[in-house]
Amino acid sequence: MPELLVPARSELILGGQKSGKSRRAESLAAAWLAQAPTHRAVLIATAQAHDAEMRARIARHQRERAERVPGLATLEPGPGLATAIDAAGGAETLRIVDCLTLWLTQQLMPVDPDARPPADPAQATAGLLPAIARCPGPIVLVGNEIGLGVVPLGRELRQAVDALGLLNQSVATACARVTLMVAGLPLTLKEVAAA
């Protein structure tokens, strides 16, 4: 098994749109499942279908994922990401959180702010780092690196970009491995040797 496909204790995978982030996470899950018959893998999917295009996109991703990694189960936690990480299984379960960007955006800019008001960035992310630290099995977190583009117009969008950048920094600090995906190629930014 290639070294890059050995799951770390925790890994943050960052990159732009269609950079190969999810494929890398799926490859890590497949490698984990192949290591032992007792291993499980769970995708904690954060996307929510609020329109027809997003419903179709989610359905397509589910079909394609099932073909690439047949043993990968899926959970849809809604806003309770830390709880979903805790409940996904034990030490034999690799968790993939895909993706932090959608999850945080949905917390900060809910589709129906009357039903659920926007969360404060610190409050929205408070439980995530402890959940990563106490996760009994490997965890792979996928997120977008969106801070490389132009400064967005509008106060709310700038605040969301800032919050995501701070979240990415915090999660990167908490993870044993950080990988940047560019054109389907992984670049290891951080690698802490297993103890």
Side-chain angles (χ1 to χ4, degrees):
M1 180 180 329
E3 184 63 29
L4 287 177
L5 290 181
V6 174
R9 168 74 185 86
S10 53
E11 179 170 350
L12 173 62
I13 302 172
L14 293 171
Q17 192 81 357
K18 295 295 180 191
S19 61
K21 303 178 303 291
S22 295
R23 290 285 176 97
R24 174 170 172 81
E26 291 171 4
S27 295
L28 289 166
W32 175 256
L33 290 169
Q35 284 180 3
T38 57
H39 283 183
R40 295 181 53 241
V42 174
L43 173 78
I44 301 171
T46 63
Q48 296 177 1
H50 295 292
D51 59 42
E53 186 274 334
M54 194 61 168
R55 280 189 292 279
R57 180 182 286 252
I58 290 171
R60 179 175 44 85
H61 286 188
Q62 289 170 336
R63 282 191 312 274
E64 292 172 354
R65 218 175 19 248
E67 291 172 7
R68 287 189 298 268
V69 190
L72 183 61
T74 302
L75 297 174
E76 296 179 5
L81 183 55
T83 302
I85 291 169
D86 290 339
E92 297 294 312
T93 302
L94 178 140
R95 294 149 179 83
I96 297 173
V97 176
D98 196 353
C99 87
L100 291 175
T101 308
L102 284 175
W103 172 76
L104 182 61
T105 301
Q106 290 163 166
Q107 304 312 300
L108 302 180
M109 295 184 268
V111 172
D112 185 1
D114 294 330
R116 187 175 50 81
D120 172 78
Q123 179 187 18
T125 61
L128 181 60
L129 296 180
I132 294 168
R134 70 178 168 260
C135 186
I139 184 166
V140 178
L141 302 115
V142 177
N144 289 33
E145 177 50 70
I146 63 171
L148 299 174
V150 298
V151 176
L153 297 175
R155 181 176 58 86
E156 291 85 6
L157 291 176
R158 285 190 298 274
Q159 288 174 337
V161 169
D162 289 349
L164 180 61
L166 293 172
L167 174 63
N168 286 346
Q169 289 182 48
S170 296
V171 174
T173 298
C175 285
R177 181 188 294 152
V178 179
T179 303
L180 177 65
M181 296 298 298
V182 179
L185 301 173
L187 174 64
T188 302
L189 303 178
K190 174 184 174 183
E191 183 82 45
V192 177

